[in-house]
Amino acid sequence: MFVYVQSDSREILREADGWVYNMALHGEKWIKEIKRAKKPFLLVHGGFQRKMAKIEEIVEFAREHKPKLVIAPDVYREHEVTLFLTGLFVEKCPELVEKSAAVIQGGVEVLEETVKQYDEWGFEWLAIPSDNPVIELIEWFKEQGWRIHVLGARFTSFPVGADSVDVVVSKYEQDMLKVLRWL
């Protein structure tokens, strides 16, 4: 499992497989830090902070800085809006789809429609918020050929079977990061 970390602690960041670049929280200084550390990074758009970057900004940033994985635009717990924004993202940058994760917003009742659409658009990755009940279906998604990224993973309920996760790690959780190496 590949672990992307967001933290203020340099020690924690050194232990991480990759870092999180959040367009709502980080600036040019942070991208320079990432490049200096030679760490792969996950690009998130800031929607969870309710400061989502414009699709054009996400596309431009991704093209310039080459993240390992891009989280496609979504709105937390808004299935229809997420599908609409993801469609716009695909229109504006089809070349980024294969290195992007489309977000599952909504529950089991919209899962078939959502997964079918993401497959038609060419996504290989699905991103599932850690508090979405469909997180329990990771193994099923994997059997269908999807790669899975878990958004906002928590150490108290860590998702087994995901390909990658992002976590916000505080200093008191530092030892937990070492536990991830054993998973």
Side-chain angles (χ1 to χ4, degrees):
M1 179 182 325
F2 197 91
V3 180
Y4 297 97
V5 172
Q6 182 175 314
S7 178
D8 293 331
S9 166
R10 295 285 174 223
E11 186 176 346
I12 291 171
L13 290 171
R14 272 193 303 275
E15 290 289 323
D17 297 323
W19 294 3
V20 174
Y21 184 91
N22 186 322
M23 295 186 78
L25 303 175
H26 302 123
E28 194 62 32
K29 183 179 176 187
W30 190 244
I31 197 66
K32 287 178 182 175
E33 286 282 327
I34 290 171
K35 288 183 177 187
R36 189 173 14 260
K38 297 181 178 158
K39 290 282 190 174
F41 72 99
L42 170 72
L43 178 60
V44 296
H45 49 70
F48 188 76
Q49 289 77 21
R50 303 203 189 292
K51 299 177 186 175
M52 186 169 70
K54 294 178 182 166
I55 292 174
E56 293 80 9
E57 294 169 336
I58 298 166
V59 170
E60 180 181 326
F61 190 92
R63 285 178 176 154
E64 181 179 347
H65 297 291
K66 313 273 188 265
K68 181 176 175 120
L69 188 63
V70 178
I71 301 301
D74 71 298
V75 175
Y76 186 62
R77 295 192 176 168
E78 293 290 338
H79 166 71
E80 293 295 328
V81 177
T82 295
L83 277 179
F84 175 76
L85 291 173
T86 303
L88 290 177
F89 177 76
V90 170
E91 280 180 27
K92 297 212 183 275
C93 60
E95 78 279 7
L96 290 177
V97 169
E98 70 181 39
K99 63 184 291 181
S100 298
V103 182
I104 301 286
Q105 293 291 3
V108 176
E109 68 281 356
V110 294
L111 193 57
E112 185 177 347
E113 165 198 356
T114 303
V115 171
K116 181 180 178 192
Q117 183 62 69
Y118 290 164
D119 186 45
E120 287 174 10
W121 282 331
F123 285 95
E124 297 174 11
W125 283 85
L126 296 175
I128 306 171
S130 60
D131 65 346
N132 187 325
V134 302
I135 196 87
E136 300 296 325
L137 301 173
I138 286 178
E139 286 306 316
W140 180 82
F141 287 120
K142 304 272 296 173
E143 288 169 7
Q144 307 307 309
W146 291 97
R147 299 190 70 195
I148 302 298
H149 177 82
V150 176
L151 294 164
R154 305 271 188 263
F155 289 121
T156 54
S157 58
F158 213 73
V160 176
D163 296 291
S164 66
V165 297
D166 64 79
V167 292
V168 177
V169 183
S170 63
K171 289 181 181 172
Y172 75 90
E173 294 173 317
Q174 186 170 343
D175 290 337
M176 295 303 290
L177 189 59
K178 293 173 184 159
V179 171
L180 296 179
R181 298 286 171 252
W182 303 332
L183 295 178

